[in-house]
Amino acid sequence: MIRTGIAAALCAATLAAGPVSFTDVTTAAGIKFKHNAGKAGKKFLPETLGSGCAFFDYNNDNWPDIVLINGRDWKPGARKSYPALYRNNKNGTFTDVTAEAGLQVEMQGMGVAAGDFDNDGNADLYVTAIEGDRLFRNLGNGKFADVTKAAGIANADFSTSAAWLDYDRDGKLDLFVANYVKWTEKGDLWCSLDGQTKSYCTPESYKGTSSKLYRNLGGGKFEDASKKAGVADPTSKSLGIAIFDMDGNGWPDIFVANDTQPNKLYKNNGNGTFTDVAVAAGVAFGEDGTARGAMGVDSADYDRSGRAHLLVGNFSNQMLGLYHNEGTGLFVDEAPANNVGRVSLLYLAFGVFFFDFDNDGQLDIFTANGHIEEEIGRVQPRVKYAQNPLIFRNLGNRKFEHVNPKMGAPINRAIVARGAAYADFDRDGDLDVLLSTNGGPAYLYRNDGGNANNWVRIKTAGVKANKDGFGAVVRVKSAGGQQWLTVRSGSSYCSQSDRVLTFGLGQDKKVDAEIVWPGGEKQAIAGLDANKTYLVTEGSKSATPIP
């Protein structure tokens, strides 16, 4: 893709963007979830991290539903806490269907990834948990069944984020699971900020552990291919995963955000193995040459260069990482030179993502923030425990504007945020935001005003490729130029956004689309109308409007 010739159109789209605000509709929507961090005064490390959330369509009605992952008390007691599945009622409200879905299971849950691992047309759930992950198969009747053991999944290594991908392009979804550190309740260490009272230990106090890559064998079975694939690194302390194609060769690569250890960038060799190229690519360390406290991550083409870039949420006093893909195998962190770095310096970012909140055709940035230490203000007065989310509007030419001051009170509320995901839950054409907090409520923010600009939404269905179409690249071309997104799982922190792709079009009313499926097959569809959602099935000659 070429940027030449689209600058004027991009400018017009930017000028056409109207005011946008995010309204807290949590209570009105019927979301009553509260996260249980298990805090009981013992200052156990996992209590600092919190759990994630996801938008996914579990009942195939083309309305995104919500799942929120929960922790539990360390010792079983009278207080029960479960994950929550909320069914979209198609009228701006949700109904809690956790019990009837068979998901009322207590666990020290962390992250979630939704994907159709058996290609039966139903989105399944993988939930990471400290005491052992769970794979829930969607039975297609509103219920889920725990198939972890039968599937050959055995991961009890303090797992965090997870992502589905088809790394060998055989049409079956494989799974990458980020594992954090070697921690047990018995082996919990004593740490202190002031030398007198116990505080939460940092990850430097614990040994790392290898993440896992599970290869889908078919028939509901997986094998641990971590060592064979070259991704088993026992020094890693992983919190975030982004699946993206760093060099545009059609093979999915994996970026892993590590906390106080060098980040990993696993380049797919196309033969079932990966090579870590993070150091050579410039994404392993911060600009000062030290490993950062990296949390969440996302990837997208924020400048329409045709290349996938990286966004990394880091610890406070480290600023966000905004790595621009130079197309030579090298990434350059642009955050220090612009607003993104300066504004984010004192924030601790967990969930992060690119999304076009005002539908002007340029990808903006959202970060969910909150510190891990409740008493941080005693030793660092400028750093707060509860922090507001940050929103950066893309102005073009690789410049971003911090727009929180224009957004109103709800989105500027200080919270201890962790997971973050987006979807058009009310199907009005603009992207809404879901946040999870550590030891607190979830928040659902409705986008009001983003649909003043036009948009088009595309849902993929693989035939030769995996059913979800994960790994498919969708390009749309309109008067304002060309843009593209990849259908994928994971990203953010312990969370997953809606897999239906939303493209902002500014004032454009028609688009042509091209889908490049995993394996390289191309499919062109011309003359799509703006402000509609389309289903594109692999191999079909047209797109089907979704009412």
Side-chain angles (χ1 to χ4, degrees), residues 164-166 173 243-244 252 458-461 466-474 484-490 496 498-501 503 515-518:
W164 297 99
L165 74 161
D166 184 5
L173 285 182
I243 309 299
F244 76 123
I458 293 178
K459 178 180 180 180
T460 53
N466 65 87
K467 189 72 172 179
D468 291 318
F470 286 149
V473 174
V474 179
W484 65 281
L485 295 169
T486 302
V487 186
R488 65 221 164 92
S489 166
Q496 182 169 311
D498 188 12
R499 71 177 183 87
V500 180
L501 303 180
F503 294 90
I515 298 88
V516 182
W517 296 92

Side-chain angles (χ1 to χ4, degrees), residues 82-377:
Y82 308 108
L85 176 64
Y86 284 97
R87 184 186 66 224
N88 194 326
N89 296 326
K90 310 178 187 179
N91 60 3
T93 70
F94 292 79
T95 297
D96 188 338
V97 295
T98 312
E100 65 187 68
L103 294 175
Q104 209 168 56
V105 180
E106 272 206 303
M107 52 184 149
Q108 278 289 357
M110 294 294 296
V112 60
D116 184 3
F117 78 86
D118 52 3
N119 286 329
D120 67 351
N122 302 306
D124 311 298
L125 285 177
Y126 189 89
V127 179
T128 63
I130 293 169
E131 71 274 27
D133 300 350
R134 306 289 188 101
L135 176 60
F136 295 99
R137 181 172 178 262
N138 189 333
L139 303 179
N141 58 359
K143 298 183 182 299
F144 291 79
D146 187 337
V147 297
T148 313
K149 187 175 181 180
I153 301 292
N155 187 49
D157 291 321
F158 197 159
S159 50
T160 53
S161 295
W164 297 99
L165 74 161
D166 184 5
Y167 77 92
D168 51 4
R169 300 196 321 198
D170 65 354
K172 301 185 292 291
L173 285 182
D174 312 301
L175 182 71
F176 191 93
V177 183
N179 288 325
Y180 192 39
V181 296
K182 287 189 178 298
W183 177 92
T184 62
E185 187 174 349
K186 279 187 177 181
D188 185 73
L189 301 175
W190 193 90
C191 298
S192 178
L193 285 173
D194 58 14
Q196 298 178 3
T197 57
K198 185 180 181 184
S199 63
Y200 291 109
C201 293
T202 62
E204 289 103 328
S205 304
Y206 297 94
K207 292 182 178 180
T209 184
S210 173
S211 294
K212 293 283 184 71
L213 177 64
Y214 286 103
R215 180 169 176 262
N216 192 332
L217 301 175
K221 300 287 187 181
F222 291 82
E223 69 169 354
D224 184 349
S226 312
K227 291 182 179 179
K228 182 166 56 178
V231 298
D233 177 9
T235 69
S236 288
K237 300 176 182 180
S238 304
L239 289 174
I241 307 165
I243 309 299
F244 76 123
D245 185 356
M246 64 174 285
D247 50 9
N249 68 354
W251 291 91
D253 308 302
I254 305 171
F255 180 88
V256 182
N258 278 327
D259 189 1
T260 71
Q261 286 290 309
N263 297 322
K264 300 293 181 181
L265 178 51
Y266 291 114
K267 186 181 185 304
N268 194 325
N269 297 321
N271 59 2
T273 69
F274 293 81
T275 300
D276 179 17
V277 297
V279 174
V283 296
F285 304 99
E287 63 175 359
D288 61 356
T290 61
R292 290 171 167 174
M295 312 293 176
V297 61
D298 196 18
S299 175
D301 181 7
Y302 65 81
D303 65 345
R304 293 197 181 189
S305 63
R307 299 184 293 272
H309 315 294
L310 288 167
L311 173 68
V312 182
N314 291 311
F315 210 77
S316 54
N317 296 304
Q318 294 180 344
M319 72 177 59
L320 291 168
L322 184 62
Y323 293 99
H324 185 267
N325 186 340
E326 300 293 297
T328 60
L330 180 67
F331 291 73
V332 175
D333 188 357
E334 297 193 326
N338 65 41
N339 247 359
V340 172
R342 291 189 293 271
V343 173
S344 67
L345 179 61
L346 297 179
Y347 289 80
L348 198 165
F350 274 86
V352 300
F353 53 71
F354 292 106
F355 76 142
D356 186 358
F357 75 83
D358 53 2
N359 284 340
D360 67 350
Q362 300 188 79
L363 292 175
D364 312 300
I365 291 173
F366 185 96
T367 77
N369 311 301
H371 211 276
I372 62 169
E373 176 54 64
E374 296 174 10
E375 304 297 324
I376 188 61

